[in-house]
Amino acid sequence: MEPVSMVVGAVIAVVGFVAGRQVTRRQARASLTQQRQHEQQRAVQGGHQQPQPLCGCGHHLVFHDKSTKKCQTQVVIPGRWTGQAGSTYRQCMCQGYRGPIPLDEYYAPDLTEGNNP
């Protein structure tokens, strides 16, 4: 091989590498700004919603048994993971609820009824 074609090939490889890095950085930066905007929008709108008691398995507190705390839901296993034609179902493997515990609601009489000292 002659040295000129080797140099031209090296220059093409370096230019391709640098261009690929710049495109990736630009896409990552755009994705990061979009994610920040989404988080800001969610923070503004999320102040009006009550926090949901979700377990680490992703299921709500109502799907866990009160006494054993085990998850009672069925999860779908796609057939492409098991090599079968159709999807299958199995019990969720969550051993106990590990999410935030909602506060109990108690009734307290109003202090403005006139019976306070």
Side-chain angles (χ1 to χ4, degrees):
M1 288 188 107
E2 58 185 272
V4 174
S5 64
M6 289 182 67
V7 170
V8 169
V11 168
I12 291 173
V14 169
V15 168
F17 177 75
V18 171
R21 295 278 296 189
Q22 292 299 323
V23 169
T24 304
R25 283 186 183 163
R26 187 178 310 134
Q27 288 174 348
R29 194 177 310 125
S31 173
L32 188 61
T33 57
Q34 183 181 10
Q35 184 180 6
R36 283 183 188 154
Q37 289 174 350
H38 178 69
E39 288 294 325
Q40 289 173 352
Q41 191 176 37
R42 196 180 90 185
V44 169
Q45 294 175 351
H48 305 299
Q49 299 174 354
Q50 293 290 336
Q52 295 296 317
L54 293 177
C55 182
C57 65
H59 297 122
H60 199 273
L61 175 63
V62 297
F63 295 116
H64 291 79
D65 188 19
K66 288 187 182 244
S67 60
T68 63
K69 304 290 185 196
K70 285 190 173 186
C71 192
Q72 301 295 320
T73 58
Q74 298 284 323
V75 292
V76 178
I77 302 173
R80 64 178 180 268
W81 290 357
T82 57
Q84 299 173 355
S87 299
T88 58
Y89 296 90
R90 69 167 170 81
Q91 182 81 19
C92 182
M93 299 300 289
C94 178
Q95 295 296 316
Y97 178 72
R98 299 284 183 257
I101 299 172
L103 297 173
D104 293 332
E105 294 182 15
Y106 294 103
Y107 172 74
D110 292 334
L111 296 176
T112 58
E113 291 181 358
N115 57 359
N116 48 339

